[in-house]
Amino acid sequence: MNTRRVAHVPGLVLALAVGLSTAACSNDDPGKGADSRKSAGAGTPAHSSPSATGGGAHDEELPATPASWCTDGASGSSGAGKRHRGPLHDDFNGDGYSDVAFPVPYGDLVPRKTLRKGGYVAVAYGSAQGLRTSSKQLFDQDRPGMPGVSEPGDYYGTSVTSADLDRDGYADLIVGSRENGHDEGWGSDGVDNDRPRHYYWQGSLSVIWGSPSGLSGSVTLASDAASHDDVGALVAAGDFDGDGAPDLATEVRGHDVRILSGPFGRDGRPAGGVRDVQGPPLKDPDGPPDAGMSDMATGDVDGDGITDLVSTGNTRNGPKRRSDLVLWKGTHDGLAAGTALSGVHGPQDQGDDVAVGDVNGDGYGDIITNAFFVYISTDDLGSGIQEPKYAKKYDRPHLKSGAVVYLPGGKNGPDVGKMTMLNQDSPGVPGVAHHDETGDEEGGTEYFGSGISVGDIDGDGYADVSVGAPAKDVGAPPGGGGDVVTLRGTADGLTGKDAQVLTAATKGLPSSTAKGSYSIGTATKLVDTDGDGHADLLAGGESDPAGAPRARGSVWVFSSTACGVTPKGSSLIVPSTLGAPDEFRSPFGADFNS
């Protein structure tokens, strides 16, 4: 699971009529929408906001006529609508459709008295009609056939991924629990007993096996987890040694990765064994890292046929901590030691999400990450360089309110020299990038670029990108806050042209009579759940029914066509839709299976 920020946004009205500023688009109604573009080369929004801090939800004027990915009445590329026929890494029942897992590590299927949760994972299955919530399944460690016992602080579902570990033709669900293991700081009932807290954060990985009837049966994977390893905080799957069997990578100790080399037996043991791979050198090898990784992604960034691993997060320790994008190259001997990609992030900006996909269609996996300004004090008085001065000094103007970073792959791996950045002031991207005027520590308060996902929305053979801006205009009634933006992949790479945006002001989405507040864009997922060749969009966010002390979660589900994402036929999933309690303090939709 990525440790992305989760916005809690009290005081707004939950209309849940959040919508695309993309009007319903079909092959019969392309809706070109030229007015939605910013003037090319100007780098400034078509409509400026009256206030940098916002006087109402989305106080800048967004286009009434949305952008469309169809041009001149065309119905899309000839490749659109071709159903995927090969095996899928996320098809748990083998019916040919991708399925989706919703991890809720900070929730419980049974109410508890403690804020620390056991965690659970919900699953919905794909079909010719799209995601079927009627086929839901729920898993925690108290369910029959599941290893262990659900205890406060296990956080089952901290990270989830999917792969066919035992190569039986059915994808399996891999679940990480970052704190599963001995913890002597809490009593047996999970209530604080005032003793000193000593967390051993051993962590664990388990697998739920796929079958013709769906997921069933589970074992703990042999990961050699020990005290402070934090196994399961992040997990990713790929063939890191090119032998044709899926392997697993999990973060350990906040800096290195542990590889479980497949194939896997039904007893959970990896046939290729377990080994650790070192990350980039620490400034102080004897000191602990300040933070650790925040996200992982896999893909073949150099085209050699072997899966590579990419991670992001704070990988330097000491007072000069900084964020690094790290490449762990796949070889026939397994993953090589991690190497920081110099120049992607500066000394005061960081990324906390990363994804890999072939955006420009050249056969190499491209890296998409994000960048936010991070205030760092230079003395005991809290003085430090502010975002505008930093952006000018290091030539990083796109950091304002957050940025999406595109790094193309190639024969020699990622090419930092061809890196591009997009924000809400980039040509074609709707909205305005607001600078934080409060003088507080961070400038990127809208967090544009959160919750990155990659998939081919319009079926043209180029991977597209979805991102969120979960803090967009949060705190400005009436209505909700947050944006979700889809960016097009082209032969020239990622572009802001004709970008589509979900906003609190656009009509056409499912509504609710509940009153409260919400923020959309915490997480996104592009996945083709109906097999039509178009990646559909899932957008996670948080909602507060009236009087709720903390947020619960919601997921908006949108279909896609050759013209892009459409609100037509969209639906809303909340925990109770999948048979789970609508429990507060447990953000549903904050992450999905990778």
Side-chain angles (χ1 to χ4, degrees), residues 137-151:
Q137 287 185 293
L138 295 170
F139 301 96
D140 68 6
Q141 293 179 100
D142 285 337
R143 297 280 151 159
M146 307 296 289
V149 177
S150 182
E151 297 175 317

Side-chain angles (χ1 to χ4, degrees), residues 81-84 88 96-99 125-132 527-536 558-561:
K82 292 183 179 179
R83 181 176 170 180
H84 185 102
L88 298 166
Y97 300 99
S98 290
D99 309 313
Y125 286 82
S127 72
Q129 290 74 44
L131 207 59
R132 292 180 299 136
V527 57
D528 183 8
T529 59
D530 58 6
D532 67 354
H534 303 286
D536 307 310
F558 306 93
S559 297
S560 296
T561 73

